[in-house]
Amino acid sequence: MALMGQMMSAPLLISSIIKHAARYYGSTEIVSRRTEGDLHRYTYRDCELRARKLAQALGALGVQQGERVGTLAWNGYRHLEIYYGVSGMGAVCHTVNPRLFPEQIAYIVNHAEDGYVFFDLTFLPLVEGVAPHCPNVRGWVAMTDRAHMPAESKVPLLCYEELLDAQDGNYEWPQFDENLASSLCYTSGTTGNPKGALYSHRSTVLHSYASAMPDALGCSASDVILPVVPMFHVNAWGLPYSVPLVGAKLVLPGPKLDGASLYELFEQEKVTFSAGVPTVWLGLLQHVQANQLKFSTFRRTVIGGSAAPPAMIRALEALDVEVIHAWGMTEMSPLGTASKLLAKHHDLPDAERHKIQEKQGRVIYGVDMKIVDGEGKELPWDGKAFGDLLVRGPWIIDRYFRNDVSPLVDGWFPTGDVATIDADGFMQITDRSKDVIKSGGEWISSIDIENVAAAHPAVHMAACISAYHPKWDERPLLVVVKKPGAEVSREELLQFFEGKVAKWWIPDDVAFVTEIPLTATGKMQKLRLREQFKDYKLPTA
Ligand code: AMP
């Protein structure tokens, strides 16, 4: 007969995280730069009380368990209260990316069937444009106090602070099945309509536990953590959960994400650890280097969302900041791998150690991965064979929201990324399968080309895309934004590749531009670039 374990059964609920932070790290600070312009500080104890008031207010508005509540908001304390108040009372916190086109936002709000949408004042014009197309939203809530409410608005608005003021906070977080939905994020939908990844309380709590571990993000109560990655980009990579879980001080930068504003906040609040996409670090690095600044306390950062160029990893290292290169996706909550060294790597010469840190890294417990060839046959872990990367695990998507077609292949989720895995399990992304350059049937990694270009002192940003070639089908074209005041010619740049990549990988041409379009999550928008250069005539063609 089966013998059951005899331990207490406690559901893994998101409310337990903020309850824990309030009870055991009650006086630890949360500091936010507000859209109103000033810095706001309070503690985990204050945050939990206000999240309870919000849960009461949502009940008073008639929000039901399982109902979706949208947000259009920056990283700030009110957004954090919504994360906990909404999920904690059993509704679903649906973060919407305000950088998407208004039509996409309306599509997402309607597809999710959001009952209410909370928004930061910055986004009032967006709300006024979108609201007429979202007839099922019962109320739009401005995340501010009465004094800052807009004098007039085309849409009837509710006031966040008034909703909270009407409640006493006398509220017990409800207990329910840990498999219930907790939050919802849509993919950015570079092709076709965005698709929703619906997380559960269980998946979120497990992901928070695992991602806080030393070989993942390594968060601790002795850290001061500033997520630059927006709370609308896969829940800021889970940091709004894992930071309170470990009881670290949390710093939320609001709408000011330029290098100077970030640097000031890093220094003032003694930030030790941060996370963001490569384009954010470009801005911060530029500011720090141009003004010959140093970081007093900032020592580690996670870079992910797109490949961290080796030159960026080295530049941060020169400022005493360790880079943890991480990989994941919306469908994975998002963390899959992180690149932390093994004990045997510590004595390696710098160059070899760097090669390992540049990879996207090893899986964290809970994630299983494999690479397969075109026929689905598993490929060896030799660091050379590359194929489609598949993953599975308890915080990886099973199905998209309101979509009956399973995306899985034999129980595995195909990531759309192409990768190698070495004998120690370090995975390296070769490319997004749509971005790889197929030259005469052979593949060229656009990421490798971009990494070389990014190391050139005159290059601010570089994207490598395929351009049509009559003989080879596709050949690499390098699109470059120069650093302000820097000069470099096409020939000099192409020469820079000699000896760094195989000869046939060297791009056929360089196009200098003033700007590379970015996606709503700050990644280089290669699809747009390919459209922009679709009639480009290579000199080799
Ligand atoms: P998103 O769901 O918007 O976060 O996008 C996920 C995709 O971003 C992945 O499938 C990868 O193609 C890409 N990505 C994320 N992290 C990295 C990384 N460290 N290096 C290269 N690509 C990455």
Side-chain angles (χ1 to χ4, degrees), residues 188 233-234 303-308 325-331 360 415 417 429 432 447 521 523:
S188 44
H233 183 195
V234 214
I303 303 189
S306 38
H325 194 193
W327 166 87
M329 50 196 313
T330 307
E331 289 89 336
Q360 278 74 2
T415 63
D417 288 328
I429 301 278
R432 187 106 197 117
I447 294 179
T521 49
K523 307 181 190 197

Side-chain angles (χ1 to χ4, degrees), residues 438-440 466-476 508 534 536-541:
K438 299 181 182 88
S439 171
S466 59
Y468 171 71
H469 191 284
K471 177 163 175 210
W472 304 109
D473 256 354
E474 294 179 4
R475 287 293 303 157
D508 281 22
K534 75 177 185 315
Y536 193 81
K537 195 153 177 346
L538 291 169
T540 50

Side-chain angles (χ1 to χ4, degrees), residues 54 58 68-75 78-84 86-87 92-100 105 108-109 112 114-120 123 126-127 139-141 143 160 183-185 230-233 235:
L54 176 62
L58 292 166
R68 274 74 64 202
V69 175
T71 69
L72 283 164
W74 301 107
N75 294 7
R78 292 186 182 115
H79 205 176
L80 190 70
E81 292 159 9
I82 296 169
Y83 264 51
Y84 285 101
V86 172
S87 304
V92 177
C93 177
H94 172 209
T95 51
V96 185
N97 187 335
R99 293 189 185 131
L100 292 170
I105 292 177
I108 290 173
V109 167
D114 291 335
Y116 285 85
V117 177
F118 288 66
F119 67 95
D120 268 329
F123 303 120
L126 186 60
V127 164
W140 299 84
V141 185
M143 291 160 63
Y160 185 85
S183 61
L184 175 65
C185 287
M231 288 167 76
F232 54 75
H233 183 195
N235 296 328

Side-chain angles (χ1 to χ4, degrees), residues 1 10 13 55 118 168 172 174 202 207 220 237 249 260 280 289 292 306 386 427 436 454 484 528:
M1 204 177 79
L13 300 182
F118 288 66
D168 59 10
E172 284 279 334
R202 176 186 156 80
H207 177 266
S220 140
W237 303 348
K249 172 175 165 182
V280 160
Q289 287 165 341
Q292 295 179 335
S306 38
F386 54 84
M427 182 274 287
V436 86
R528 277 259 308 273

Side-chain angles (χ1 to χ4, degrees), residues 17 29 35 68 76 115 178 245 342 345 375 378 414 422 532:
I17 297 177
E29 272 188 315
T35 44
R68 274 74 64 202
E178 64 184 21
L245 182 138
L342 300 173
H345 293 141
E375 273 77 57
E378 188 161 357
D422 72 17
Q532 196 177 323

